Short mmCIF file of all heavy atoms in Angstrom, two decimals:
data_model
loop_
_atom_site.label_atom_id
_atom_site.label_comp_id
_atom_site.label_asym_id
_atom_site.label_seq_id
_atom_site.Cartn_x
_atom_site.Cartn_y
_atom_site.Cartn_z
N MET A 6 17.03 -7.86 -47.55
CA MET A 6 17.11 -9.26 -47.15
C MET A 6 15.87 -9.99 -47.66
O MET A 6 14.76 -9.65 -47.32
CB MET A 6 17.17 -9.37 -45.62
CG MET A 6 17.62 -10.76 -45.16
SD MET A 6 17.59 -10.92 -43.36
CE MET A 6 15.85 -11.13 -43.04
N SER A 7 16.08 -10.96 -48.50
CA SER A 7 14.94 -11.71 -49.02
C SER A 7 15.30 -13.19 -49.08
O SER A 7 16.46 -13.56 -49.13
CB SER A 7 14.57 -11.23 -50.41
OG SER A 7 15.60 -11.51 -51.32
N LYS A 8 14.27 -14.00 -49.04
CA LYS A 8 14.50 -15.44 -49.20
C LYS A 8 13.29 -16.08 -49.83
O LYS A 8 12.18 -15.56 -49.75
CB LYS A 8 14.82 -16.10 -47.85
CG LYS A 8 13.71 -16.02 -46.84
CD LYS A 8 14.11 -16.72 -45.55
CE LYS A 8 13.06 -16.51 -44.48
NZ LYS A 8 13.40 -17.17 -43.22
N MET A 9 13.55 -17.20 -50.50
CA MET A 9 12.49 -17.91 -51.18
C MET A 9 11.84 -18.88 -50.19
O MET A 9 12.51 -19.69 -49.58
CB MET A 9 13.08 -18.68 -52.36
CG MET A 9 12.06 -19.26 -53.26
SD MET A 9 11.09 -18.02 -54.13
CE MET A 9 12.31 -17.43 -55.29
N LEU A 10 10.55 -18.73 -50.03
CA LEU A 10 9.80 -19.63 -49.16
C LEU A 10 8.93 -20.56 -50.00
O LEU A 10 8.39 -20.15 -51.01
CB LEU A 10 8.84 -18.84 -48.25
CG LEU A 10 9.40 -17.87 -47.24
CD1 LEU A 10 8.24 -17.24 -46.47
CD2 LEU A 10 10.34 -18.57 -46.29
N THR A 11 8.81 -21.78 -49.55
CA THR A 11 7.81 -22.67 -50.12
C THR A 11 6.67 -22.71 -49.11
O THR A 11 6.85 -23.14 -47.98
CB THR A 11 8.37 -24.08 -50.36
OG1 THR A 11 9.44 -23.97 -51.28
CG2 THR A 11 7.30 -25.00 -50.94
N ILE A 12 5.52 -22.22 -49.52
CA ILE A 12 4.35 -22.18 -48.65
C ILE A 12 3.51 -23.40 -48.95
O ILE A 12 3.20 -23.68 -50.11
CB ILE A 12 3.59 -20.86 -48.85
CG1 ILE A 12 4.49 -19.72 -48.35
CG2 ILE A 12 2.24 -20.88 -48.15
CD1 ILE A 12 3.91 -18.36 -48.43
N ARG A 13 3.19 -24.14 -47.91
CA ARG A 13 2.46 -25.40 -48.07
C ARG A 13 1.16 -25.37 -47.27
O ARG A 13 1.06 -24.69 -46.26
CB ARG A 13 3.30 -26.57 -47.53
CG ARG A 13 4.53 -26.86 -48.35
CD ARG A 13 5.39 -27.94 -47.69
NE ARG A 13 6.61 -28.14 -48.45
CZ ARG A 13 6.71 -28.99 -49.49
NH1 ARG A 13 5.67 -29.74 -49.84
NH2 ARG A 13 7.83 -29.11 -50.15
N CYS A 14 0.24 -26.15 -47.74
CA CYS A 14 -1.03 -26.33 -47.04
C CYS A 14 -0.77 -27.03 -45.69
O CYS A 14 -0.03 -28.00 -45.63
CB CYS A 14 -1.91 -27.20 -47.91
SG CYS A 14 -3.43 -27.72 -47.13
N ALA A 15 -1.40 -26.54 -44.64
CA ALA A 15 -1.22 -27.14 -43.32
C ALA A 15 -1.93 -28.49 -43.20
O ALA A 15 -1.58 -29.29 -42.35
CB ALA A 15 -1.72 -26.19 -42.23
N LYS A 16 -2.91 -28.73 -44.07
CA LYS A 16 -3.65 -29.99 -43.97
C LYS A 16 -2.97 -31.11 -44.74
O LYS A 16 -2.71 -32.17 -44.19
CB LYS A 16 -5.07 -29.81 -44.51
CG LYS A 16 -6.00 -29.16 -43.50
CD LYS A 16 -7.45 -29.20 -43.98
CE LYS A 16 -8.36 -28.47 -43.00
NZ LYS A 16 -9.66 -28.20 -43.62
N CYS A 17 -2.74 -30.89 -46.03
CA CYS A 17 -2.23 -31.98 -46.86
C CYS A 17 -0.75 -31.83 -47.19
O CYS A 17 -0.17 -32.72 -47.80
CB CYS A 17 -3.04 -32.12 -48.13
SG CYS A 17 -2.77 -30.79 -49.30
N LYS A 18 -0.15 -30.71 -46.80
CA LYS A 18 1.28 -30.44 -47.00
C LYS A 18 1.67 -30.24 -48.46
O LYS A 18 2.85 -30.21 -48.77
CB LYS A 18 2.17 -31.55 -46.38
CG LYS A 18 1.81 -31.96 -44.94
CD LYS A 18 2.16 -30.88 -43.93
CE LYS A 18 2.09 -31.38 -42.50
NZ LYS A 18 0.71 -31.31 -41.96
N SER A 19 0.71 -30.10 -49.35
CA SER A 19 1.14 -29.82 -50.73
C SER A 19 1.58 -28.37 -50.87
O SER A 19 1.19 -27.50 -50.10
CB SER A 19 0.09 -30.11 -51.81
OG SER A 19 -1.08 -30.47 -51.33
N LYS A 20 2.36 -28.14 -51.91
CA LYS A 20 2.86 -26.80 -52.17
C LYS A 20 1.72 -25.91 -52.61
O LYS A 20 0.88 -26.30 -53.41
CB LYS A 20 3.88 -26.83 -53.32
CG LYS A 20 5.23 -27.37 -52.94
CD LYS A 20 6.19 -27.13 -54.09
CE LYS A 20 6.93 -28.40 -54.42
NZ LYS A 20 7.76 -28.24 -55.63
N THR A 21 1.70 -24.68 -52.08
CA THR A 21 0.70 -23.69 -52.50
C THR A 21 1.37 -22.60 -53.34
O THR A 21 0.91 -22.31 -54.44
CB THR A 21 0.02 -23.07 -51.27
OG1 THR A 21 -0.46 -24.12 -50.44
CG2 THR A 21 -1.14 -22.21 -51.68
N PHE A 22 2.43 -22.02 -52.78
CA PHE A 22 3.18 -21.00 -53.51
C PHE A 22 4.68 -21.20 -53.30
O PHE A 22 5.09 -21.71 -52.26
CB PHE A 22 2.91 -19.58 -52.97
CG PHE A 22 1.50 -19.13 -52.97
CD1 PHE A 22 0.94 -18.60 -51.83
CD2 PHE A 22 0.74 -19.17 -54.13
CE1 PHE A 22 -0.36 -18.15 -51.81
CE2 PHE A 22 -0.57 -18.71 -54.12
CZ PHE A 22 -1.11 -18.21 -52.95
N ARG A 23 5.43 -20.69 -54.25
CA ARG A 23 6.83 -20.35 -53.99
C ARG A 23 6.82 -18.83 -53.94
O ARG A 23 6.35 -18.16 -54.87
CB ARG A 23 7.74 -20.87 -55.10
CG ARG A 23 7.73 -22.37 -55.17
CD ARG A 23 8.94 -23.01 -54.53
NE ARG A 23 10.12 -22.71 -55.28
CZ ARG A 23 11.35 -22.57 -54.72
NH1 ARG A 23 11.50 -22.70 -53.42
NH2 ARG A 23 12.38 -22.32 -55.47
N TYR A 24 7.32 -18.29 -52.84
CA TYR A 24 7.13 -16.86 -52.57
C TYR A 24 8.44 -16.21 -52.14
O TYR A 24 9.16 -16.76 -51.31
CB TYR A 24 6.10 -16.72 -51.44
CG TYR A 24 5.78 -15.30 -51.07
CD1 TYR A 24 5.17 -14.46 -51.97
CD2 TYR A 24 6.09 -14.80 -49.81
CE1 TYR A 24 4.88 -13.14 -51.65
CE2 TYR A 24 5.81 -13.49 -49.46
CZ TYR A 24 5.20 -12.65 -50.40
OH TYR A 24 4.93 -11.36 -50.07
N LEU A 25 8.70 -15.06 -52.71
CA LEU A 25 9.90 -14.31 -52.36
C LEU A 25 9.56 -13.40 -51.18
O LEU A 25 8.86 -12.41 -51.34
CB LEU A 25 10.38 -13.49 -53.56
CG LEU A 25 11.71 -12.78 -53.39
CD1 LEU A 25 12.85 -13.78 -53.20
CD2 LEU A 25 11.99 -11.90 -54.60
N LYS A 26 10.04 -13.79 -50.01
CA LYS A 26 9.74 -13.05 -48.78
C LYS A 26 10.84 -12.02 -48.58
O LYS A 26 12.02 -12.33 -48.63
CB LYS A 26 9.73 -14.04 -47.61
CG LYS A 26 9.59 -13.41 -46.23
CD LYS A 26 8.15 -13.26 -45.85
CE LYS A 26 8.00 -12.94 -44.35
NZ LYS A 26 8.45 -11.58 -44.01
N ILE A 27 10.42 -10.78 -48.33
CA ILE A 27 11.37 -9.71 -48.06
C ILE A 27 11.18 -9.25 -46.63
O ILE A 27 10.06 -8.97 -46.21
CB ILE A 27 11.21 -8.55 -49.07
CG1 ILE A 27 11.53 -9.08 -50.48
CG2 ILE A 27 12.11 -7.37 -48.72
CD1 ILE A 27 11.32 -8.09 -51.60
N GLY A 28 12.28 -9.19 -45.88
CA GLY A 28 12.22 -8.77 -44.49
C GLY A 28 11.84 -9.92 -43.56
O GLY A 28 11.59 -11.04 -43.99
N LYS A 29 11.81 -9.58 -42.29
CA LYS A 29 11.54 -10.58 -41.26
C LYS A 29 10.05 -10.61 -40.92
O LYS A 29 9.29 -9.79 -41.39
CB LYS A 29 12.32 -10.23 -39.98
CG LYS A 29 13.81 -10.41 -40.13
CD LYS A 29 14.50 -10.10 -38.80
CE LYS A 29 16.01 -10.24 -38.93
NZ LYS A 29 16.69 -9.87 -37.69
N GLY A 30 9.71 -11.54 -40.06
CA GLY A 30 8.35 -11.56 -39.54
C GLY A 30 7.48 -12.58 -40.22
O GLY A 30 7.91 -13.30 -41.12
N ARG A 31 6.27 -12.65 -39.76
CA ARG A 31 5.31 -13.65 -40.24
C ARG A 31 4.83 -13.30 -41.63
O ARG A 31 4.87 -12.15 -42.05
CB ARG A 31 4.13 -13.71 -39.27
CG ARG A 31 4.51 -14.17 -37.88
CD ARG A 31 3.43 -13.83 -36.88
NE ARG A 31 2.24 -14.64 -37.12
CZ ARG A 31 1.05 -14.39 -36.58
NH1 ARG A 31 0.88 -13.34 -35.79
NH2 ARG A 31 0.02 -15.17 -36.81
N VAL A 32 4.32 -14.30 -42.31
CA VAL A 32 3.72 -14.09 -43.63
C VAL A 32 2.24 -13.80 -43.41
O VAL A 32 1.44 -14.69 -43.16
CB VAL A 32 3.90 -15.34 -44.52
CG1 VAL A 32 3.23 -15.11 -45.88
CG2 VAL A 32 5.38 -15.67 -44.71
N LEU A 33 1.90 -12.52 -43.43
CA LEU A 33 0.51 -12.12 -43.21
C LEU A 33 -0.23 -11.99 -44.52
O LEU A 33 -1.41 -12.28 -44.62
CB LEU A 33 0.44 -10.79 -42.45
CG LEU A 33 1.05 -10.83 -41.05
CD1 LEU A 33 1.04 -9.43 -40.44
CD2 LEU A 33 0.29 -11.79 -40.15
N HIS A 34 0.50 -11.53 -45.53
CA HIS A 34 -0.05 -11.53 -46.87
C HIS A 34 1.07 -11.76 -47.86
O HIS A 34 2.24 -11.53 -47.56
CB HIS A 34 -0.85 -10.26 -47.16
CG HIS A 34 -0.12 -8.98 -46.90
ND1 HIS A 34 -0.56 -8.08 -45.97
CD2 HIS A 34 0.99 -8.47 -47.44
CE1 HIS A 34 0.27 -7.04 -45.96
NE2 HIS A 34 1.23 -7.26 -46.84
N CYS A 35 0.70 -12.24 -49.03
CA CYS A 35 1.66 -12.50 -50.09
C CYS A 35 1.41 -11.52 -51.23
O CYS A 35 0.32 -11.52 -51.82
CB CYS A 35 1.50 -13.93 -50.63
SG CYS A 35 2.13 -15.19 -49.51
N TRP A 36 2.39 -10.69 -51.52
CA TRP A 36 2.29 -9.77 -52.66
C TRP A 36 2.30 -10.61 -53.93
O TRP A 36 3.17 -11.45 -54.10
CB TRP A 36 3.47 -8.80 -52.65
CG TRP A 36 3.39 -7.83 -51.53
CD1 TRP A 36 3.83 -8.02 -50.24
CD2 TRP A 36 2.80 -6.53 -51.55
NE1 TRP A 36 3.54 -6.92 -49.48
CE2 TRP A 36 2.92 -5.98 -50.24
CE3 TRP A 36 2.18 -5.78 -52.56
CZ2 TRP A 36 2.43 -4.72 -49.93
CZ3 TRP A 36 1.71 -4.51 -52.22
CH2 TRP A 36 1.83 -3.99 -50.93
N LYS A 37 1.34 -10.33 -54.80
CA LYS A 37 1.20 -11.16 -56.01
C LYS A 37 2.44 -11.11 -56.89
O LYS A 37 2.81 -12.12 -57.47
CB LYS A 37 -0.01 -10.73 -56.81
CG LYS A 37 -1.30 -11.18 -56.18
CD LYS A 37 -2.45 -10.78 -57.08
CE LYS A 37 -3.76 -11.25 -56.52
NZ LYS A 37 -4.87 -10.76 -57.35
N GLY A 38 3.08 -9.96 -56.96
CA GLY A 38 4.27 -9.84 -57.80
C GLY A 38 5.44 -10.67 -57.31
O GLY A 38 6.41 -10.84 -58.03
N ARG A 39 5.36 -11.14 -56.07
CA ARG A 39 6.47 -11.91 -55.51
C ARG A 39 6.17 -13.40 -55.42
O ARG A 39 6.96 -14.17 -54.88
CB ARG A 39 6.81 -11.41 -54.11
CG ARG A 39 7.31 -9.98 -54.11
CD ARG A 39 7.89 -9.66 -52.76
NE ARG A 39 7.90 -8.24 -52.52
CZ ARG A 39 7.67 -7.69 -51.33
NH1 ARG A 39 7.41 -8.44 -50.28
NH2 ARG A 39 7.71 -6.40 -51.19
N ILE A 40 4.99 -13.78 -55.93
CA ILE A 40 4.68 -15.21 -56.01
C ILE A 40 5.34 -15.74 -57.27
O ILE A 40 4.98 -15.33 -58.38
CB ILE A 40 3.15 -15.44 -55.99
CG1 ILE A 40 2.58 -14.99 -54.65
CG2 ILE A 40 2.84 -16.92 -56.25
CD1 ILE A 40 1.06 -15.02 -54.58
N ILE A 41 6.31 -16.60 -57.07
CA ILE A 41 7.13 -17.06 -58.20
C ILE A 41 6.43 -18.23 -58.90
O ILE A 41 6.46 -18.32 -60.12
CB ILE A 41 8.53 -17.48 -57.70
CG1 ILE A 41 9.17 -16.39 -56.84
CG2 ILE A 41 9.44 -17.88 -58.86
CD1 ILE A 41 9.29 -15.04 -57.50
N GLU A 42 5.87 -19.12 -58.11
CA GLU A 42 5.11 -20.23 -58.67
C GLU A 42 3.83 -20.35 -57.87
O GLU A 42 3.84 -20.22 -56.65
CB GLU A 42 5.88 -21.54 -58.57
CG GLU A 42 7.08 -21.60 -59.50
CD GLU A 42 7.88 -22.86 -59.29
OE1 GLU A 42 7.32 -23.96 -59.47
OE2 GLU A 42 9.06 -22.75 -58.92
N ASP A 43 2.76 -20.60 -58.57
CA ASP A 43 1.44 -20.66 -57.93
C ASP A 43 0.80 -22.01 -58.22
O ASP A 43 0.53 -22.33 -59.37
CB ASP A 43 0.57 -19.52 -58.49
CG ASP A 43 -0.78 -19.42 -57.80
OD1 ASP A 43 -1.09 -20.29 -56.96
OD2 ASP A 43 -1.51 -18.47 -58.11
N TYR A 44 0.63 -22.81 -57.19
CA TYR A 44 0.02 -24.13 -57.33
C TYR A 44 -1.42 -24.14 -56.81
O TYR A 44 -2.06 -25.17 -56.74
CB TYR A 44 0.81 -25.17 -56.51
CG TYR A 44 2.27 -25.23 -56.86
CD1 TYR A 44 3.21 -24.52 -56.13
CD2 TYR A 44 2.71 -26.02 -57.92
CE1 TYR A 44 4.56 -24.57 -56.45
CE2 TYR A 44 4.06 -26.08 -58.25
CZ TYR A 44 4.98 -25.35 -57.51
OH TYR A 44 6.30 -25.41 -57.83
N SER A 45 -1.90 -22.97 -56.40
CA SER A 45 -3.20 -22.90 -55.73
C SER A 45 -4.35 -22.87 -56.73
O SER A 45 -4.16 -22.67 -57.92
CB SER A 45 -3.25 -21.64 -54.86
OG SER A 45 -3.24 -20.50 -55.68
N ILE A 46 -5.54 -23.02 -56.19
CA ILE A 46 -6.77 -22.92 -56.98
C ILE A 46 -7.42 -21.58 -56.63
O ILE A 46 -7.57 -21.26 -55.45
CB ILE A 46 -7.72 -24.10 -56.62
CG1 ILE A 46 -7.09 -25.41 -57.07
CG2 ILE A 46 -9.08 -23.89 -57.26
CD1 ILE A 46 -7.81 -26.63 -56.56
N HIS A 47 -7.77 -20.82 -57.66
CA HIS A 47 -8.43 -19.53 -57.44
C HIS A 47 -9.91 -19.69 -57.75
O HIS A 47 -10.28 -20.00 -58.88
CB HIS A 47 -7.83 -18.47 -58.37
CG HIS A 47 -6.38 -18.18 -58.07
ND1 HIS A 47 -5.90 -16.91 -57.89
CD2 HIS A 47 -5.33 -19.00 -57.91
CE1 HIS A 47 -4.59 -16.97 -57.63
NE2 HIS A 47 -4.22 -18.22 -57.65
N GLU A 48 -10.73 -19.49 -56.74
CA GLU A 48 -12.18 -19.56 -56.91
C GLU A 48 -12.75 -18.21 -56.50
O GLU A 48 -12.97 -17.97 -55.31
CB GLU A 48 -12.78 -20.65 -56.02
CG GLU A 48 -12.70 -22.05 -56.61
CD GLU A 48 -13.39 -23.08 -55.72
OE1 GLU A 48 -14.06 -22.72 -54.73
OE2 GLU A 48 -13.24 -24.25 -56.03
N GLY A 49 -12.91 -17.32 -57.47
CA GLY A 49 -13.31 -15.96 -57.14
C GLY A 49 -12.22 -15.33 -56.29
O GLY A 49 -11.06 -15.32 -56.68
N MET A 50 -12.57 -14.84 -55.11
CA MET A 50 -11.59 -14.22 -54.22
C MET A 50 -10.85 -15.25 -53.36
O MET A 50 -9.89 -14.90 -52.69
CB MET A 50 -12.31 -13.24 -53.26
CG MET A 50 -13.15 -12.18 -53.94
SD MET A 50 -12.16 -11.05 -54.93
CE MET A 50 -11.55 -9.99 -53.61
N GLU A 51 -11.35 -16.45 -53.35
CA GLU A 51 -10.78 -17.45 -52.45
C GLU A 51 -9.61 -18.19 -53.09
O GLU A 51 -9.68 -18.60 -54.24
CB GLU A 51 -11.86 -18.47 -52.05
CG GLU A 51 -12.97 -17.85 -51.24
CD GLU A 51 -13.96 -18.88 -50.70
OE1 GLU A 51 -14.08 -19.98 -51.29
OE2 GLU A 51 -14.61 -18.57 -49.70
N ILE A 52 -8.56 -18.32 -52.31
CA ILE A 52 -7.38 -19.05 -52.74
C ILE A 52 -7.34 -20.35 -51.94
O ILE A 52 -7.30 -20.32 -50.70
CB ILE A 52 -6.09 -18.23 -52.46
CG1 ILE A 52 -6.20 -16.81 -53.03
CG2 ILE A 52 -4.86 -18.97 -52.98
CD1 ILE A 52 -6.41 -16.72 -54.51
N LYS A 53 -7.39 -21.44 -52.65
CA LYS A 53 -7.49 -22.73 -51.98
C LYS A 53 -6.37 -23.66 -52.43
O LYS A 53 -5.84 -23.54 -53.53
CB LYS A 53 -8.81 -23.41 -52.32
CG LYS A 53 -10.01 -22.69 -51.73
CD LYS A 53 -11.28 -23.41 -52.12
CE LYS A 53 -12.49 -22.76 -51.44
NZ LYS A 53 -13.73 -23.45 -51.85
N CYS A 54 -6.10 -24.60 -51.57
CA CYS A 54 -5.22 -25.71 -51.90
C CYS A 54 -5.98 -26.68 -52.81
O CYS A 54 -7.21 -26.63 -52.91
CB CYS A 54 -4.80 -26.38 -50.62
SG CYS A 54 -3.87 -27.90 -50.88
N GLN A 55 -5.22 -27.58 -53.43
CA GLN A 55 -5.84 -28.64 -54.24
C GLN A 55 -6.83 -29.46 -53.41
O GLN A 55 -7.80 -30.00 -53.94
CB GLN A 55 -4.76 -29.59 -54.78
CG GLN A 55 -3.57 -28.89 -55.45
CD GLN A 55 -3.90 -28.28 -56.79
OE1 GLN A 55 -4.83 -28.71 -57.45
NE2 GLN A 55 -3.15 -27.25 -57.17
N CYS A 56 -6.58 -29.57 -52.09
CA CYS A 56 -7.44 -30.38 -51.21
C CYS A 56 -8.69 -29.63 -50.77
O CYS A 56 -9.54 -30.21 -50.09
CB CYS A 56 -6.65 -30.85 -49.99
SG CYS A 56 -6.37 -29.57 -48.75
N GLY A 57 -8.79 -28.35 -51.11
CA GLY A 57 -9.97 -27.58 -50.74
C GLY A 57 -9.78 -26.69 -49.53
O GLY A 57 -10.63 -25.88 -49.21
N ASN A 58 -8.64 -26.84 -48.85
CA ASN A 58 -8.35 -26.00 -47.68
C ASN A 58 -8.22 -24.54 -48.11
O ASN A 58 -7.48 -24.23 -49.04
CB ASN A 58 -7.04 -26.50 -47.04
CG ASN A 58 -6.71 -25.80 -45.73
OD1 ASN A 58 -7.59 -25.32 -45.04
ND2 ASN A 58 -5.43 -25.75 -45.41
N LEU A 59 -8.93 -23.64 -47.43
CA LEU A 59 -8.85 -22.21 -47.73
C LEU A 59 -7.53 -21.64 -47.19
O LEU A 59 -7.27 -21.71 -45.98
CB LEU A 59 -10.04 -21.47 -47.11
CG LEU A 59 -10.11 -19.97 -47.37
CD1 LEU A 59 -10.33 -19.66 -48.85
CD2 LEU A 59 -11.20 -19.34 -46.54
N ILE A 60 -6.72 -21.10 -48.09
CA ILE A 60 -5.39 -20.61 -47.72
C ILE A 60 -5.41 -19.10 -47.51
O ILE A 60 -4.72 -18.57 -46.64
CB ILE A 60 -4.37 -20.95 -48.84
CG1 ILE A 60 -4.30 -22.46 -49.10
CG2 ILE A 60 -3.00 -20.36 -48.55
CD1 ILE A 60 -3.67 -23.27 -48.01
N GLY A 61 -6.18 -18.40 -48.34
CA GLY A 61 -6.17 -16.95 -48.25
C GLY A 61 -7.26 -16.33 -49.11
O GLY A 61 -8.01 -17.03 -49.79
N ILE A 62 -7.30 -15.01 -49.05
CA ILE A 62 -8.30 -14.23 -49.80
C ILE A 62 -7.56 -13.24 -50.69
O ILE A 62 -6.68 -12.52 -50.22
CB ILE A 62 -9.22 -13.45 -48.82
CG1 ILE A 62 -9.96 -14.40 -47.86
CG2 ILE A 62 -10.21 -12.57 -49.60
CD1 ILE A 62 -10.99 -15.30 -48.50
N ASP A 63 -7.95 -13.23 -51.95
CA ASP A 63 -7.36 -12.32 -52.92
C ASP A 63 -7.87 -10.90 -52.64
O ASP A 63 -9.07 -10.64 -52.72
CB ASP A 63 -7.79 -12.78 -54.31
CG ASP A 63 -7.13 -12.00 -55.43
OD1 ASP A 63 -6.80 -10.82 -55.22
OD2 ASP A 63 -6.96 -12.58 -56.51
N GLU A 64 -6.96 -10.01 -52.29
CA GLU A 64 -7.33 -8.61 -52.06
C GLU A 64 -6.64 -7.70 -53.08
O GLU A 64 -6.13 -6.63 -52.73
CB GLU A 64 -7.01 -8.22 -50.61
CG GLU A 64 -7.87 -9.00 -49.62
CD GLU A 64 -7.80 -8.50 -48.19
OE1 GLU A 64 -6.78 -7.89 -47.82
OE2 GLU A 64 -8.77 -8.74 -47.44
N GLU A 65 -6.60 -8.15 -54.30
CA GLU A 65 -6.08 -7.43 -55.47
C GLU A 65 -4.56 -7.30 -55.49
O GLU A 65 -3.93 -7.91 -56.31
CB GLU A 65 -6.75 -6.06 -55.66
CG GLU A 65 -8.24 -6.23 -55.96
CD GLU A 65 -8.89 -4.99 -56.54
OE1 GLU A 65 -8.19 -4.03 -56.91
OE2 GLU A 65 -10.13 -4.99 -56.62
N LYS A 66 -3.98 -6.51 -54.59
CA LYS A 66 -2.52 -6.35 -54.65
C LYS A 66 -1.80 -7.54 -54.02
O LYS A 66 -0.68 -7.85 -54.38
CB LYS A 66 -2.07 -5.09 -53.91
CG LYS A 66 -2.40 -3.83 -54.65
CD LYS A 66 -1.92 -2.62 -53.89
CE LYS A 66 -2.39 -1.35 -54.56
NZ LYS A 66 -2.47 -0.23 -53.63
N TRP A 67 -2.45 -8.13 -53.04
CA TRP A 67 -1.85 -9.23 -52.33
C TRP A 67 -2.89 -10.27 -51.96
O TRP A 67 -4.09 -10.02 -52.12
CB TRP A 67 -1.14 -8.75 -51.05
CG TRP A 67 -2.03 -8.01 -50.12
CD1 TRP A 67 -3.06 -8.52 -49.38
CD2 TRP A 67 -2.00 -6.61 -49.82
NE1 TRP A 67 -3.67 -7.53 -48.66
CE2 TRP A 67 -3.04 -6.35 -48.90
CE3 TRP A 67 -1.18 -5.56 -50.24
CZ2 TRP A 67 -3.28 -5.09 -48.40
CZ3 TRP A 67 -1.43 -4.30 -49.73
CH2 TRP A 67 -2.47 -4.06 -48.83
N ILE A 68 -2.42 -11.39 -51.46
CA ILE A 68 -3.31 -12.41 -50.95
C ILE A 68 -3.20 -12.38 -49.44
O ILE A 68 -2.10 -12.55 -48.88
CB ILE A 68 -2.94 -13.78 -51.53
CG1 ILE A 68 -3.27 -13.76 -53.04
CG2 ILE A 68 -3.74 -14.89 -50.81
CD1 ILE A 68 -2.65 -14.86 -53.82
N LYS A 69 -4.29 -12.08 -48.81
CA LYS A 69 -4.31 -12.07 -47.34
C LYS A 69 -4.33 -13.51 -46.86
O LYS A 69 -5.27 -14.25 -47.14
CB LYS A 69 -5.54 -11.31 -46.84
CG LYS A 69 -5.54 -11.12 -45.34
CD LYS A 69 -6.79 -10.39 -44.89
CE LYS A 69 -6.82 -10.33 -43.38
NZ LYS A 69 -8.18 -10.04 -42.90
N MET A 70 -3.31 -13.91 -46.17
CA MET A 70 -3.13 -15.31 -45.82
C MET A 70 -3.90 -15.63 -44.54
O MET A 70 -3.89 -14.88 -43.58
CB MET A 70 -1.64 -15.60 -45.63
CG MET A 70 -0.81 -15.33 -46.88
SD MET A 70 -1.27 -16.35 -48.28
CE MET A 70 -0.53 -17.91 -47.79
N LYS A 71 -4.53 -16.77 -44.58
CA LYS A 71 -5.28 -17.25 -43.41
C LYS A 71 -4.30 -17.94 -42.49
O LYS A 71 -3.73 -18.98 -42.87
CB LYS A 71 -6.37 -18.19 -43.89
CG LYS A 71 -7.34 -18.59 -42.80
CD LYS A 71 -8.43 -19.48 -43.36
CE LYS A 71 -9.21 -20.10 -42.22
NZ LYS A 71 -9.46 -21.51 -42.43
N GLN A 72 -4.09 -17.39 -41.32
CA GLN A 72 -3.12 -17.96 -40.40
C GLN A 72 -3.59 -19.37 -39.98
O GLN A 72 -4.77 -19.64 -39.93
CB GLN A 72 -2.91 -17.05 -39.19
CG GLN A 72 -2.38 -15.65 -39.57
CD GLN A 72 -1.06 -15.69 -40.34
OE1 GLN A 72 -0.09 -16.28 -39.87
NE2 GLN A 72 -1.02 -15.08 -41.52
N ASN A 73 -2.62 -20.21 -39.76
CA ASN A 73 -2.84 -21.62 -39.39
C ASN A 73 -3.32 -22.51 -40.55
O ASN A 73 -3.45 -23.71 -40.37
CB ASN A 73 -3.81 -21.79 -38.21
CG ASN A 73 -3.39 -20.95 -37.02
OD1 ASN A 73 -2.20 -20.86 -36.72
ND2 ASN A 73 -4.34 -20.31 -36.36
N ALA A 74 -3.55 -21.91 -41.72
CA ALA A 74 -3.97 -22.72 -42.87
C ALA A 74 -2.78 -23.17 -43.69
O ALA A 74 -2.92 -24.01 -44.57
CB ALA A 74 -4.94 -21.94 -43.75
N PHE A 75 -1.60 -22.58 -43.41
CA PHE A 75 -0.42 -22.90 -44.22
C PHE A 75 0.81 -23.00 -43.32
O PHE A 75 0.80 -22.54 -42.18
CB PHE A 75 -0.22 -21.81 -45.28
CG PHE A 75 0.13 -20.46 -44.71
CD1 PHE A 75 1.45 -20.06 -44.60
CD2 PHE A 75 -0.86 -19.60 -44.28
CE1 PHE A 75 1.78 -18.82 -44.05
CE2 PHE A 75 -0.56 -18.36 -43.74
CZ PHE A 75 0.77 -17.98 -43.62
N ILE A 76 1.81 -23.61 -43.88
CA ILE A 76 3.12 -23.69 -43.21
C ILE A 76 4.19 -23.30 -44.22
O ILE A 76 3.95 -23.31 -45.42
CB ILE A 76 3.37 -25.12 -42.67
CG1 ILE A 76 3.20 -26.17 -43.78
CG2 ILE A 76 2.45 -25.45 -41.49
CD1 ILE A 76 3.51 -27.56 -43.37
N HIS A 77 5.35 -22.94 -43.73
CA HIS A 77 6.47 -22.68 -44.65
C HIS A 77 7.78 -22.97 -43.97
O HIS A 77 7.83 -23.17 -42.77
CB HIS A 77 6.43 -21.23 -45.16
CG HIS A 77 6.56 -20.18 -44.09
ND1 HIS A 77 7.75 -19.87 -43.50
CD2 HIS A 77 5.63 -19.42 -43.49
CE1 HIS A 77 7.54 -18.90 -42.61
NE2 HIS A 77 6.26 -18.63 -42.57
ZN1 ZN B 115 -4.16 -29.05 -48.92
#
C-alpha cells in the first residue's frame, strides 16, 4: 500500500517534497529513493524550506523529519 504525499512547510505552506509513502503511520523519515520531487534547500546535513524553516536532517539513507515543521 503506497500513496503519493505532498509534504509542505508548516510555516509558509510551500511544497518541500513529493514523497512516495509506503504503509501507514506518521512520516518520521523520508527515504531518499522515494522522494519523487525535491523542492527543498540542502545546506550540509540540514534540509530547509525556501523560507528557511528547518524541515529535517540528512542521515544518508533517509531524511529524518522534524515533527511539527511540515504538513502533508
Ligand atoms: Zn517554508
Side-chain angles (χ1 to χ4, degrees):
M6 195 183 77
S7 66
K8 63 179 174 180
M9 190 66 73
L10 296 181
T11 299
I12 294 182
R13 292 174 184 273
C14 172
K16 280 189 183 165
C17 72
K18 312 289 192 276
S19 5
K20 284 189 230 174
T21 308
F22 302 129
R23 296 259 292 148
Y24 182 65
L25 187 64
K26 173 89 167 71
I27 297 176
K29 290 183 181 177
R31 297 164 69 194
V32 178
L33 297 175
H34 53 242
C35 286
W36 291 85
K37 285 183 178 175
R39 296 192 202 144
I40 295 173
I41 309 304
E42 290 175 60
D43 185 354
Y44 305 95
S45 67
I46 294 170
H47 295 231
E48 277 184 8
M50 305 295 280
E51 296 187 335
I52 309 300
K53 292 180 176 178
C54 173
Q55 311 289 335
C56 75
N58 186 26
L59 181 66
I60 302 290
I62 301 292
D63 186 331
E64 294 190 335
E65 296 196 11
K66 287 181 187 156
W67 57 69
I68 292 164
K69 187 181 175 199
M70 300 298 284
K71 188 177 168 225
Q72 300 302 306
N73 307 319
F75 66 95
I76 53 176
H77 61 77

